Amino acid sequence: MFTSGYVSNEAAISTIAKLLPNCLILSDALNHASMIHGVRSSGVSKQIWRHNDLNHLEELLIAAGPDRAKLIVFESVYSMDGDVAPIEKIADLADKYNAFTYIDEVHAVGMYGNRGAGICERDGVMDRMDVIEGTLAKGFGVMGGYITGKKSLVDAVRSYAPGFIFTTALPPGLCAAATASIRHLKESRVEREAHQRQAARTKAVLRAAGLPVMPSVTHIVPVLVGNPDLCKKATDILLEKHGIYIQPINYPTVPRGTERLRVTPTPFHNDVVIEHLRDALVDVWETLSLPFSEPSVPEVEKAVRQQIFSAAGG
Amino acid sequence: MFTSGYVSNEAAISTIAKLLPNCLILSDALNHASMIHGVRSSGVSKQIWRHNDLNHLEELLIAAGPDRAKLIVFESVYSMDGDVAPIEKIADLADKYNAFTYIDEVHAVGMYGNRGAGICERDGVMDRMDVIEGTLAKGFGVMGGYITGKKSLVDAVRSYAPGFIFTTALPPGLCAAATASIRHLKESRVEREAHQRQAARTKAVLRAAGLPVMPSVTHIVPVLVGNPDLCKKATDILLEKHGIYIQPINYPTVPRGTERLRVTPTPFHNDVVIEHLRDALVDVWETLSLPFSEPSVPEVEKAVRQQIFSAAGG
C-alpha cells in the first residue's frame, strides 16, 4: 500500500529496476507521468517502445538478449485515449524473452473484471503479470495505491523504496472507506454494467451529432479539438454557459495537435445528462467553428508517434 | 496541497531547483529522505552542510558566490534527534549571500507556535523563509502536505511539478478532517501545552531512572541503544512483555552506532503511562545488559558527522 497510485508507480518501478542487476526498462511510449518518474528515478537504462506495438517491443527484447534483466512497464487502459494494451501477447513476449512485466491498472480497477480487479481479470491474465499496480482513488473513489505480486517481490519493494518507508500511513477513515468500496465492487456488478452502458451511449450520442469522438474501447471518451487555445476556450464555454466542467487536455499530457476534451462518464451520468452534454458540445463546436467529422485516425496516430515518441524518452 | 509531506518535499524541491537557472542546493546533512529524494530528482548540483553548522553553511555560500542561484533546504525540528535549526541565523545568511530558503516544518506544525503554524511562528521568522513546507498528518492527525510561499513561487510549483499535476486530489472527507484539525489547533493551546508538559516529563522520568535519553529540545525523546540487534530486541520485549509499541530506529534512518528508541509522547500519554514506560525500559535495559548512563554526546555527534555526512551526499 502506498499513499497514491502516483507514489506506487514512482516507488515500485524505481525500486524493482534498481534491485535487478543491470536492468533494462522497456517502457510504452504513452505511459503515465508517474511511471516515467519511476523509470527516471531508477537511474537504469531504458528504451521506449511505440505505443502498443508488439513488433517494436519484440525487436527491443531481442536486442537486449535473453540474459539481461528486463522490465516491461505498461498500462492496461491508457487514460487519454481509452485504448487497451494487448496484455496476453505482451506476457507471451515476456515469457519468450525472459522479461518481467509491470502493468498499471489504475484506470481499470473497480471498473473491469467480474470482481472489479481490472482488465487482467477480465481477460484472465492476472497470473501472467509479475506486478499489477492499482489505485484506491478513481474507481474506488478514495485515495491510495498498491502493487500486487509475488511475496518476495513485494517484500523487496517494502524493504527498499524510500517512497514507501519514509512516508505516512493511510488514515483509518480512508482505509475503512476504501475497504468498503472494494468489498462492494467485488460483489456488485450493477455499477460496472451501468458504467459501460453510459459510456457506450455517450460515444454513440456524440458521434451521431458529428462530434469527433476518438477511437476508444473503454469508458474513456476523448473528443478531438487539435488546438490548445481552442481546447481551453471550449472548456470555458462548457463551464460558463452550460455548467459542465471538463478539463482541457493539452500538451504535455497529450501530443501537440491532439489536444482534446476527455469525457469520462460514470454510472450516474444518465441519458438526460448525456444529451445535455451533446447539445452543449454542439453549441461549443458551432461557436468556435470546430470541424464536425470523424477524427482522422492516421493523423492522430502520426502526431502521437512523432511527438510523444521523442518526448517520452527525454 | 500535495498528497503527503513526502510528496510535497520531493515535488517542490525538485521543481524549484530545476526552475532556478544553474541552481546549487545546500542541504543539511540530517535532512529527511523525502528532501534528499527532491534534491536528487532535481538533477542540480548539491552540497551537504554539516548538521546545523552555520559556519559550514556560510563557507559553502561564500564559495558559491553571490550571483549563483542557491537554495538552502533544512528542517525546523529534526525528527530523529529532536533538535531545532538556528532558523533566524540561517535566514540572515540567506539574506547576506542571496540564497533562497526552504524549511520543512513537518514535525512542528500543529505543535509549536501560538496558532500552531510551527517553529517559525514561535520564533517570529515565518516571513524570513521563502518556502515553509508542512503536513496534515502528524500534528494534524490526517494526511496530505503543503508548501506556503509567495504566490509566484507556489504558482511555479503548481505549473511544473509532475508530483502535483499528475496525481489525485485529497478526498473530501480527509480535507474536512484536516480543516477541522487546523481550525481547532489555531485556537486551542491546551493540546500544545499538554504535549510539551508530557514530553518534558517523559525526558525527566527516563533520565531520573538512568536511561540514556539523548539531548532534545522538543517533544521527541530519543533513547540511545547504539546497536541494531539490541535495538530490535528492545522493541520486541517492549511489545511482547509490556504491551508498548515503539519502532526500532536503525541505519539508514540514523547513523550506525546511534541506533535508538524514539519516543514521541502525545498530550494523551499521561503520567501513569510515562511511569509504565519507564518501568518497562528499565526492565529491558536490565534484560539486555544495556548501560544506564547519560549518552556520550560527543560520541553520538562523531558518529553522526562521520557516517551521515558521507552517506547523505551519495
Side-chain angles (χ1 to χ4, degrees):
Chain A
M1 288 289 319
F2 301 85
T3 46
S4 71
Y6 190 102
V7 172
S8 310
N9 276 333
E10 197 283 325
I13 293 173
S14 63
T15 301
I16 295 166
K18 261 189 228 168
L19 288 174
L20 295 172
N22 188 31
C23 179
L24 173 70
I25 296 178
L26 299 166
S27 178
D28 185 283
L30 292 193
N31 276 341
H32 186 255
S34 56
M35 304 172 81
I36 295 173
H37 197 156
V39 171
R40 287 183 182 163
S41 293
S42 76
V44 312
S45 311
K46 66 170 182 302
Q47 290 183 315
I48 314 295
W49 44 295
R50 286 190 293 273
H51 177 55
N52 279 351
D53 184 332
L54 291 163
N55 292 331
H56 191 209
L57 175 60
E58 184 161 18
E59 275 172 36
L60 297 176
L61 285 166
I62 292 170
D67 298 331
R68 183 166 187 188
K70 296 169 291 295
L71 180 64
I72 305 172
V73 297
F74 64 113
E75 305 184 21
S76 60
V77 176
Y78 285 86
S79 64
M80 295 300 147
D81 296 84
D83 57 346
V84 170
I87 303 173
E88 187 166 16
K89 288 181 178 135
I90 291 171
D92 291 342
L93 288 177
D95 285 349
K96 186 169 175 189
Y97 296 103
N98 192 28
F100 286 89
T101 47
Y102 181 108
I103 189 166
D104 176 316
E105 286 254 41
V106 154
H107 291 275
V109 293
M111 295 177 268
Y112 294 86
N114 191 41
R115 285 158 59 87
I119 297 280
C120 287
E121 186 196 14
R122 187 195 69 179
D123 294 356
V125 291
M126 285 201 284
D127 64 325
R128 305 283 311 271
M129 296 290 109
D130 290 302
V131 181
I132 298 177
E133 181 267 346
T135 182
L136 302 180
K138 304 198 188 290
F140 292 123
V142 194
M143 184 191 186
Y146 62 85
I147 58 165
T148 63
K150 287 212 176 66
K151 192 174 185 304
S152 54
L153 187 143
V154 172
D155 267 351
V157 172
R158 198 157 33 201
S159 306
Y160 286 96
F164 171 79
I165 298 169
F166 297 107
T167 193
T168 195
L170 297 177
L174 196 155
C175 293
T179 306
S181 266
I182 293 167
R183 222 168 245 156
H184 178 74
L185 288 172
K186 276 168 90 169
E187 300 300 326
S188 172
R189 271 159 290 276
V190 177
E191 294 81 5
R192 282 190 284 280
E193 283 159 11
H195 189 214
Q196 289 303 310
R197 187 175 61 240
Q198 296 316 101
R201 191 170 175 88
T202 304
K203 287 184 221 174
V205 167
L206 301 190
R207 279 209 182 102
L211 290 158
V213 176
M214 294 167 69
S216 160
V217 293
T218 63
H219 60 284
I220 292 162
V221 184
V223 183
L224 187 70
V225 177
N227 175 295
D229 299 322
L230 293 174
C231 198
K232 176 69 170 59
K233 269 185 198 151
T235 58
D236 288 346
I237 300 172
L238 280 174
L239 186 60
E240 284 155 25
K241 187 165 167 194
H242 302 282
I244 295 173
Y245 177 59
I246 292 179
Q247 283 189 311
I249 309 286
N250 285 345
Y251 180 87
T253 306
V254 296
R256 293 185 215 277
T258 72
E259 293 83 1
R260 65 196 71 170
L261 308 182
R262 178 171 159 263
V263 184
T264 45
T266 72
F268 304 104
H269 288 100
N270 61 29
D271 295 359
V272 175
V273 169
I274 293 168
E275 278 151 34
H276 173 48
L277 172 66
R278 175 202 55 204
D279 295 345
L281 284 174
V282 166
D283 175 58
V284 166
W285 250 244
E286 283 168 354
T287 306
L288 298 175
S289 301
L290 287 166
F292 285 86
S293 64
E294 279 286 306
S296 166
V297 180
E299 274 182 29
V300 170
E301 282 291 304
K302 207 172 144 199
V304 171
R305 293 287 149 83
Q306 287 179 341
Q307 296 188 34
I308 279 281
F309 193 39
S310 50
Chain B
M1 288 290 318
F2 300 84
T3 46
S4 73
Y6 190 103
V7 172
S8 309
N9 276 332
E10 197 281 326
I13 293 173
S14 63
T15 301
I16 295 166
K18 259 188 230 171
L19 288 174
L20 295 171
N22 190 29
C23 179
L24 173 69
I25 296 179
L26 299 166
S27 177
D28 185 282
L30 292 193
N31 276 342
H32 186 255
S34 56
M35 304 172 81
I36 295 173
H37 197 158
V39 171
R40 287 183 182 164
S41 292
S42 75
V44 314
S45 311
K46 67 170 181 300
Q47 289 183 315
I48 313 297
W49 45 295
R50 286 190 293 273
H51 177 55
N52 278 351
D53 185 332
L54 291 163
N55 292 330
H56 192 209
L57 175 59
E58 185 162 18
E59 276 173 35
L60 297 176
L61 286 165
I62 292 171
D67 298 330
R68 183 166 188 187
K70 296 170 292 294
L71 179 64
I72 305 172
V73 298
F74 64 112
E75 305 184 21
S76 59
V77 175
Y78 284 87
S79 65
M80 295 299 146
D81 296 83
D83 56 345
V84 170
I87 303 172
E88 187 166 18
K89 289 179 177 138
I90 290 170
D92 292 342
L93 288 177
D95 285 350
K96 187 168 173 190
Y97 298 103
N98 192 28
F100 286 88
T101 48
Y102 181 107
I103 190 167
D104 176 316
E105 286 254 40
V106 155
H107 292 275
V109 293
M111 295 176 267
Y112 294 87
N114 191 42
R115 286 159 57 87
I119 298 280
C120 288
E121 185 196 16
R122 186 195 70 179
D123 295 357
V125 292
M126 282 201 286
D127 62 327
R128 305 284 311 274
M129 297 290 110
D130 290 303
V131 181
I132 299 178
E133 180 267 346
T135 182
L136 302 180
K138 304 198 187 289
F140 293 123
V142 193
M143 185 190 185
Y146 61 85
I147 59 165
T148 63
K150 288 211 175 68
K151 192 174 185 303
S152 54
L153 187 143
V154 172
D155 267 350
V157 172
R158 203 164 18 207
S159 305
Y160 286 96
F164 172 79
I165 298 169
F166 297 107
T167 191
T168 193
L170 297 176
L174 196 155
C175 294
T179 305
S181 266
I182 293 168
R183 222 168 244 158
H184 178 75
L185 287 172
K186 275 168 91 169
E187 300 300 327
S188 172
R189 273 159 288 277
V190 178
E191 294 81 4
R192 281 191 283 280
E193 284 158 11
H195 189 215
Q196 289 302 309
R197 188 174 63 240
Q198 296 315 103
R201 194 172 172 85
T202 304
K203 288 184 219 174
V205 167
L206 300 189
R207 279 209 182 100
L211 291 157
V213 177
M214 293 168 70
S216 160
V217 294
T218 62
H219 61 282
I220 291 162
V221 185
V223 184
L224 187 70
V225 177
N227 174 295
D229 298 323
L230 293 174
C231 198
K232 176 68 169 61
K233 269 184 199 152
T235 58
D236 287 346
I237 300 172
L238 280 174
L239 185 60
E240 284 156 23
K241 188 165 166 194
H242 302 283
I244 295 174
Y245 177 60
I246 293 179
Q247 282 189 310
I249 309 285
N250 286 345
Y251 179 87
T253 306
V254 297
R256 291 187 216 278
T258 73
E259 293 83 1
R260 66 197 69 172
L261 308 181
R262 177 169 159 265
V263 184
T264 44
T266 72
F268 304 104
H269 288 101
N270 62 27
D271 296 359
V272 174
V273 169
I274 293 169
E275 278 151 36
H276 173 47
L277 173 65
R278 175 202 54 202
D279 295 344
L281 285 174
V282 166
D283 175 60
V284 166
W285 251 244
E286 284 168 353
T287 306
L288 299 176
S289 303
L290 289 165
F292 284 86
S293 64
E294 281 285 306
S296 167
V297 180
E299 275 184 26
V300 169
E301 283 290 305
K302 209 172 140 199
V304 171
R305 293 286 147 83
Q306 288 180 339
Q307 298 189 33
I308 277 283
F309 194 40
S310 49

